[in-house]
Amino acid sequence: MRLLQKNLCMIAMSLAMASAGHAAPLVEPTLHIRPQASGAGRVALTLDACGGQTDSRILSALVDNKIPATIFVTGIWLKRNAAAVEIMRAHPDLFELENHGGHHIPAVDTPRKIYGIRSAGSPDAGLAEVESGAAALAGTGEPAPKWFRGATAEYSPSAIAMIRKLGFKVAGFSINGDGGSLLGAKETARRIAAAKDGDVIISHINQPTHAAGEGVVQGLLALKAKGLTFVRLDDAEGMGNNGTTE
């Protein structure tokens, strides 16, 4: 009996390893906007609102300095941050709200963890994450989203195909500004201030207690001082790889 149990355990482990080995590798798509023909250049600022609260340092700086941004919101964040949503809706020239999923679940249709977050794990669960995010935005009266960015910004190729079939473009990036909001203010500011014509910046607007938020503001003001123009994704032609935009 013990030999049988041992053999069964070994078979189960082999099957699990084979399944993991055959899972498609994940991709982290890049995204650029078409460079400007003249002038100092332009960049697209994208900010993820995954959950939690709102970093008023960033939101206030965007409003005060008239810096446009594309905000990727989850259904979770929308429920908790009505006041911030109202501020954004009061400035439609600055903010566009896009789909970050219903529950901040990675758009990966095989079971695994990415940065400690459990993936959707199946095609049906991935579909539900994307559609529930769009439904949450619709519930606030916002226009239908055109872009989707999944939690962790990593995807299985088949999930990208599913998202595109739903009519969404998948928002990659070219500059990771705040390292998931885990970087310090100095490094965050340095990364963002280094953006050039055509770059798409990703950072976070949902961590008001993190030092990275201060760096986001510093970096954006440095870009503005250089004369770069900020645009929302809907106001520029986005060019992504891995089948994310074409």
Side-chain angles (χ1 to χ4, degrees):
M1 180 61 72
R2 288 182 180 176
L3 180 60
L4 176 60
Q5 289 177 335
K6 182 178 180 180
N7 287 337
L8 288 174
C9 277
M10 291 178 66
I11 291 171
M13 290 176 64
S14 297
L15 288 172
M17 292 175 66
S19 176
H22 285 90
L26 302 184
V27 295
E28 184 179 271
T30 60
L31 180 68
H32 290 82
I33 57 173
R34 188 166 296 282
Q36 198 171 31
S38 61
R42 59 183 189 169
V43 297
L45 171 64
T46 68
L47 295 168
D48 288 0
C50 312
Q53 303 303 316
T54 303
D55 192 331
S56 60
R57 297 169 298 181
I58 299 174
L59 183 56
S60 296
L62 297 178
V63 173
D64 293 344
N65 292 278
K66 296 181 171 52
I67 296 176
T70 301
I71 315 294
F72 283 90
V73 299
T74 65
I76 298 170
W77 185 88
L78 284 172
K79 288 180 180 178
R80 299 173 179 171
N81 294 273
V85 173
E86 285 305 310
I87 293 173
M88 293 175 185
R89 293 182 71 179
H91 297 86
D93 55 323
L94 298 181
F95 302 107
E96 64 171 313
L97 274 58
E98 297 290 347
N99 186 359
H100 197 32
H103 302 90
H104 200 247
I105 298 172
V108 175
D109 48 18
T110 53
R112 64 179 85 188
K113 284 188 176 181
I114 305 101
Y115 302 118
I117 304 176
R118 193 176 300 278
S119 69
S122 71
D124 285 346
L127 180 68
E129 171 69 2
V130 179
E131 291 187 327
S132 62
L137 271 169
T140 68
E142 285 296 307
K146 300 175 184 177
W147 291 85
F148 176 81
R149 174 180 287 154
T152 75
E154 294 196 7
Y155 310 82
S156 50
S158 50
I160 290 176
M162 177 270 292
I163 296 163
R164 294 290 289 125
K165 190 173 181 179
L166 289 173
F168 297 103
K169 294 179 180 180
V170 178
F173 54 91
S174 60
I175 291 182
N176 185 338
D178 65 357
S181 193
L182 298 177
L183 295 177
K186 185 176 181 180
E187 176 62 14
T188 298
R190 185 195 68 80
R191 289 188 179 195
I192 292 176
K196 295 179 176 58
D197 186 21
D199 274 326
V200 175
I201 301 165
I202 182 176
S203 289
H204 292 74
I205 196 171
N206 66 306
Q207 297 289 356
T209 65
H210 289 195
E214 178 185 346
V216 170
V217 174
Q218 293 172 355
L220 294 176
L221 294 182
L223 289 178
K224 185 179 180 182
K226 293 178 184 178
L228 272 77
T229 301
F230 295 92
V231 296
R232 301 172 302 183
L233 290 182
D234 271 357
D235 299 327
E237 183 181 352
M239 303 172 291
N241 62 353
N242 297 104
T244 53
T245 59
E246 66 276 2

